[in-house]
Amino acid sequence: MRVLGIETSCDETGIAIYDTEQGLLAHRLYSQVKLHADYGGVVPELASRDHVRKTLPLIKEALAEAGLSGQDLDGVAYTAGPGLVGALLVGATIGKSLAYGWNIPALGVHHMEGHLLAPMLEERPPQFPFVALLVSGGHTQLVAVEAIGKYRILGESIDDAAGEAFDKTAKLLGLDYPGGPRLAMLAEKGNPDRFTFPRPMTDRPGLDFSFSGLKTAAANVIRSEGNDEQTQADIARAFEEAVVDTLVIKCRRALKETGFKRIVIAGGVSANKRLRGALEKLMASQKGEVFYARPEFCTDNGAMIALAGALRLAKEGSTELSVKAQPRWSLESLAPIA
């Protein structure tokens, strides 16, 4: 089954074509970073307009790269949520319209299910069951995954997501948008012994997260210690280590609770080198395995949507007639597939 994937949930337009027998055939990604940089964050209306401009040209490029036409496809998958409702509606409307014109099924895909399944695009995909750590700008979740669609939320952030905390702290440090990756780069120059930040909610049982207090702790140090280059780097290092340690502690608890020996990390923050190294060390100590996607498939992309859509369309088909867009959508509400 060949499926066109369309991702327009936020500030990246991702297009891909995935074949269930041959794998990924084409992949295109356009980032709106320059568009939103002057505002220090994503402006929803501008994001939607840019998706309108970019989606169809990128689809044409992907089809040309794969040497296919619309008539060669078996389905269209588009991100139906969670995300910015205007941006979601762009991809949903285009995807549904193309599918109608080509007389093939279209399916709305859960954005976080796409992230969760992205490591399956790699040569060594994870086997079920596993614990998934989903860490992005909008989500921080621990999920027990027994099969596609069989998800149980073990814990999630009660305020800022990890990626959101990275971006906000980077902004406090005066770093340009997008701040998270820039903070991680700055942290490489930092002294790990100068500052120590709290590891929030690790002194109590449970698997939920909270990063707003950590951000406040960083803000207090930034105000009191000045803002020279080395101090910035030292604060970035302490902040990054606090986030990584917190995530690893909660992952260890989730593995103990489930008894699973595999962990998958996905979402934009899963590209963080310190987090990957810490989880590799954790799983080595437990004789387990850790899986993640290559960096280009950690951020929002069309490949993960095409993959998730292909797996679902191959098993359950689609009878949807209306355009589907859900800004909020629980993973646990998804139907399992055999």
Side-chain angles (χ1 to χ4, degrees), residues 4-18 24 26-31 51 58 77-79 109-119 121-122 266-268 270 293-309:
L4 171 69
I6 303 173
E7 157 59 26
T8 63
S9 66
C10 191
D11 61 342
E12 284 158 323
T13 311
I15 305 296
I17 300 171
Y18 181 83
L24 190 62
H27 170 55
R28 286 288 185 272
L29 184 66
Y30 170 78
S31 173
H51 287 309
L58 289 175
Y78 59 88
T79 302
V109 170
H110 194 293
H111 180 73
M112 298 312 294
E113 181 173 58
H115 275 306
L116 187 152
L117 298 176
L121 292 162
E122 304 303 323
S270 70
R294 71 197 79 166
E296 64 184 310
F297 295 148
C298 291
T299 56
D300 296 348
N301 64 88
M304 67 183 193
I305 302 304
L307 168 65

Side-chain angles (χ1 to χ4, degrees), residues 71-112:
Q71 286 68 38
D72 298 315
L73 300 176
D74 301 301
V76 176
Y78 59 88
T79 302
L84 303 175
V85 66
L88 291 170
L89 283 170
V90 174
T93 303
I94 291 174
K96 207 65 174 169
S97 299
L98 289 175
Y100 184 82
W102 293 331
N103 196 29
I104 56 178
L107 181 71
V109 170
H110 194 293
H111 180 73
M112 298 312 294

Side-chain angles (χ1 to χ4, degrees), residues 90-303:
V90 174
T93 303
I94 291 174
K96 207 65 174 169
S97 299
L98 289 175
Y100 184 82
W102 293 331
N103 196 29
I104 56 178
L107 181 71
V109 170
H110 194 293
H111 180 73
M112 298 312 294
E113 181 173 58
H115 275 306
L116 187 152
L117 298 176
M120 294 185 177
L121 292 162
E122 304 303 323
E123 292 183 4
R124 189 177 70 95
Q127 300 296 312
F128 299 108
F130 55 80
V131 170
L133 173 64
L134 304 180
V135 274
S136 67
H139 296 81
T140 302
Q141 295 179 320
L142 278 167
V143 186
V145 181
E146 296 185 19
I148 296 174
K150 196 171 183 181
Y151 308 130
R152 178 167 58 93
I153 304 297
L154 302 171
E156 56 191 339
S157 181
I158 62 175
D159 43 52
D160 290 353
E164 185 180 4
F166 262 103
D167 287 339
K168 288 180 176 178
T169 303
K171 192 171 185 177
L172 291 171
L173 287 168
L175 302 179
D176 292 336
Y177 174 84
R182 297 180 189 278
L183 186 149
M185 291 177 61
L186 182 62
E188 294 298 317
K189 305 173 184 177
N191 176 359
D193 300 319
R194 184 174 177 188
F195 300 113
T196 300
F197 291 141
R199 276 57 174 164
M201 295 184 70
T202 59
D203 58 350
R204 67 188 75 175
L207 294 171
D208 285 336
F209 302 90
S210 172
F211 293 106
S212 62
L214 177 57
K215 176 196 65 184
T216 300
N220 290 337
V221 173
I222 292 168
R223 282 194 294 267
S224 64
E225 297 293 332
N227 215 17
D228 62 89
E229 186 175 345
Q230 187 57 52
T231 297
Q232 281 191 322
D234 296 342
I235 293 171
R237 178 65 176 268
F239 177 84
E240 183 183 49
E241 288 192 349
V243 173
V244 169
D245 285 353
T246 300
L247 294 173
V248 171
I249 289 168
K250 295 301 179 91
C251 285
R252 184 185 296 113
R253 291 181 185 177
L255 291 166
K256 183 177 181 180
E257 179 178 316
T258 60
F260 296 166
K261 290 293 184 180
R262 303 181 190 91
I263 192 161
V264 163
I265 49 172
V269 182
S270 70
N272 183 278
K273 294 179 181 178
R274 201 174 304 280
L275 176 60
R276 290 189 177 196
L279 285 175
E280 287 171 355
K281 185 177 179 180
L282 169 66
M283 297 312 293
S285 71
Q286 301 203 4
K287 297 182 172 56
E289 298 176 286
V290 60
F291 299 86
Y292 41 76
R294 71 197 79 166
E296 64 184 310
F297 295 148
C298 291
T299 56
D300 296 348
N301 64 88

